[in-house]
């Protein structure tokens, strides 16, 4: 008698049948990342989605990331294992006040972090991710007022890095990074005095002040891999552990828990599971559907971002 296929085997079979590619953010569970054709941070995933092959993109990340993949691939089917995989930054920045801001301030430049809904992207002049935000803001004419949204910590970090005065910042935050307490970071530093502190710019300024390196998820992974044998205190989502342990096997990594869950996990990212991925490949649901005119309006700021090197 042959053994029943594992869920991973079922996923690989369905992937072939559907001519699908699986894309995964670094914050996904290891078992999902192991099956992915491409793993990356949000900028890398946007670039990979632009260059994607296949009829179906199974996007293992949060909904706004899959919307980006759809805007870049209007003719392909884009599915997400769990449609409730949202993001506190998206939820804290509804489109109506942004439309109103645009009506009142037609000469301001709206720079939106990709962690926004497709409706907010459509109201934006240019998008950015955590890895190119400084470069994007520096690409904007110095005399123009910028509205940066929705992450206040990333916005303040960009403001400090660029020295730009005429920059307003939306007051949203990430429920994971914004709640990493400095107190716990200092405790961890006391326990591991030799460790290098690496942090995502969504962390509050008080945390970033103690960081030896600040960067996007992939930048953090690359930095750790370039410093083999060193230990690291990691101020970002613990899903990065999968790539960190693979790329820097001689290092030790210490994660600082946030106040909400006593862990370093994004509850939205962790809604995706192998079972849900299998079911979504089977039913091609939940599927990202966006009205064509909305996609066209969101594509413009996205293409402007991808053009900035
Ligand atoms: P990255 O740009 O590092 O992928 O950030 C995405 C994100 O959601 C961070 O919380
Ligand atoms: Fe959003 Fe934060 Fe989760 Fe990233 S980690 S998806 S910013 S809630």
């Amino acid at each position: 008698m042959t053994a029943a296929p594992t869920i991973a085997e079922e996923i690989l079979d369905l992937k072939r049948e559907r001519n699908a590619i699986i894309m995964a953010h670094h914050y996904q569970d290891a078992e999902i990342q192991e099956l992915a054709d491409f793993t990356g941070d949000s900028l890398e995933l946007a670039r990979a989605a632009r260059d994607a092959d296949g009829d179906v993109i199974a996007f293992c990340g949060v909904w706004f990331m899959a919307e980006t993949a759809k805007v870049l691939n209007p003719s392909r089917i884009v599915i997400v294992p769990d449609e409730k995989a949202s993001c506190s930054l998206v939820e804290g920045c509804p489109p109506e006040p942004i439309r109103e801001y645009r009506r009142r301030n037609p000469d301001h430049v709206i720079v939106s972090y990709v962690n926004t809904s497709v409706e907010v992207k459509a109201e934006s002049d240019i998008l950015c991710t955590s890895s190119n935000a400084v470069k994007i803001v520096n690409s904007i004419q110095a005399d123009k007022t910028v509205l940066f949204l929705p992450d206040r910590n990333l916005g303040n970090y960009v403001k400090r890095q660029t020295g730009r005065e005429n920059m307003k910042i939306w007051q949203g935050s990430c429920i994971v990074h914004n709640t990493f307490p400095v107190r716990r970071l200092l405790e961890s530093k006391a326990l591991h005095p030799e460790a290098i502190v690496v942090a995502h710019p969504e962390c509050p300024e008080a945390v970033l002040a103690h960081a030896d390196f600040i960067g996007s998820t992939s930048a953090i992974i690359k930095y750790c891999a370039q410093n083999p044998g060193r230990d690291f205190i990691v101020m970002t989502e613990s899903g990065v552990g999968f790539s960190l342990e693979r790329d820097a096997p001689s290092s030790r990594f210490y994660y600082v828990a946030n106040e909400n869950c006593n862990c370093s996990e994004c509850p939205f990212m962790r809604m995706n599971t192998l079972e849900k991925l299998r079911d979504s490949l089977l039913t091609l649901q939940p599927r990202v559907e966006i009205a064509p005119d909305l996609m066209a309006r969101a594509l413009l700021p996205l293409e402007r971002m991808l053009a900035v090197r």
Side-chain angles (χ1 to χ4, degrees):
M1 209 175 74
T2 49
T6 62
I7 297 177
E9 286 164 347
E10 286 182 81
I11 289 170
L12 293 174
D13 283 346
L14 283 163
K15 190 170 100 79
R16 269 188 296 275
E17 263 170 50
R18 297 295 195 195
N19 189 25
I21 61 157
I22 300 177
M23 301 180 75
H25 191 271
H26 289 300
Y27 297 171
Q28 293 292 279
D29 284 335
E31 55 191 16
I32 292 182
Q33 293 196 50
E34 270 163 12
L35 291 180
D37 298 289
F38 186 87
T39 305
D41 67 6
S42 42
L43 181 60
E44 292 169 336
L45 288 167
R47 290 213 173 105
R50 180 190 55 189
D51 304 335
D53 285 327
D55 300 322
V56 175
I57 300 175
F59 203 103
C60 301
V62 289
W63 192 260
F64 76 79
M65 294 178 178
E67 282 182 336
T68 303
K70 179 67 183 174
V71 168
L72 291 165
N73 291 275
S75 62
R76 296 203 166 92
I77 293 172
V78 178
I79 51 174
V80 184
D82 191 323
E83 66 193 329
K84 290 189 285 306
S86 181
C87 167
S88 59
L89 287 167
V90 174
E91 292 181 0
C93 186
E96 197 38 56
I98 310 304
R99 282 190 202 112
E100 182 57 25
Y101 184 93
R102 200 162 191 59
R103 270 194 293 274
R104 287 172 188 263
N105 304 283
D107 55 326
H108 291 189
V109 178
I110 301 184
V111 180
S112 294
Y113 190 25
V114 285
N115 297 38
T116 42
S117 65
V118 67
E119 289 83 2
V120 168
K121 287 184 174 77
E123 300 301 325
S124 309
D125 293 292
I126 190 163
L127 306 184
C128 70
T129 73
S130 62
S131 62
N132 64 13
V134 170
K135 207 184 268 182
I136 298 285
V137 169
N138 272 333
S139 77
I140 295 161
Q141 229 178 283
D143 60 342
K144 292 276 188 192
T145 299
V146 166
L147 170 65
F148 186 95
L149 56 89
D151 188 80
R152 64 167 181 258
N153 294 329
L154 179 62
N156 285 326
Y157 171 72
V158 170
K159 198 168 178 172
R160 290 194 297 278
Q161 292 294 306
T162 58
R164 194 165 186 125
E165 288 299 327
N166 52 353
M167 183 168 156
K168 297 168 187 254
I169 298 169
W170 188 265
Q171 293 300 302
S173 63
C174 160
I175 46 164
V176 182
H177 295 85
N178 191 50
T179 55
F180 286 140
V182 185
R183 170 178 51 80
R184 289 204 177 154
L185 169 58
L186 295 179
E187 282 163 13
S188 186
K189 270 172 78 83
L191 281 173
H192 314 291
E194 302 302 323
I196 299 175
V197 179
V198 292
H200 194 281
E202 285 177 15
C203 294
E205 186 179 354
V207 166
L208 296 180
H210 295 281
D212 300 297
F213 178 81
I214 301 169
S216 74
T217 313
S218 290
I220 287 174
I221 295 165
K222 202 167 156 198
Y223 177 83
C224 295
Q226 284 167 347
N227 289 280
R230 295 296 307 265
D231 293 344
F232 298 92
I233 298 172
V234 182
M235 304 303 291
T236 190
E237 216 270 1
S238 55
V240 294
F242 176 76
S243 303
L244 286 175
E245 278 152 35
R246 181 196 57 210
D247 296 353
S250 57
S251 293
R252 269 173 306 187
F253 300 98
Y254 306 106
Y255 299 89
V256 171
N258 70 44
E259 299 282 25
N260 296 341
C261 63
N262 214 20
C263 69
S264 321
E265 294 182 357
C266 171
F268 298 112
M269 287 278 183
R270 302 312 172 107
M271 284 176 178
N272 295 327
T273 61
L274 274 193
E275 286 82 355
K276 290 180 194 169
L277 172 58
R278 179 212 38 216
D279 294 349
S280 65
L281 281 164
L282 196 61
T283 61
L284 295 183
Q285 297 289 344
R287 191 183 300 194
V288 179
E289 313 261 24
I290 309 169
D293 62 319
L294 183 57
M295 276 205 279
R297 287 198 296 128
L299 181 61
L300 205 65
L302 188 50
E303 281 184 332
R304 285 192 189 123
M305 172 186 87
L306 292 171
V308 175
R309 283 278 159 184

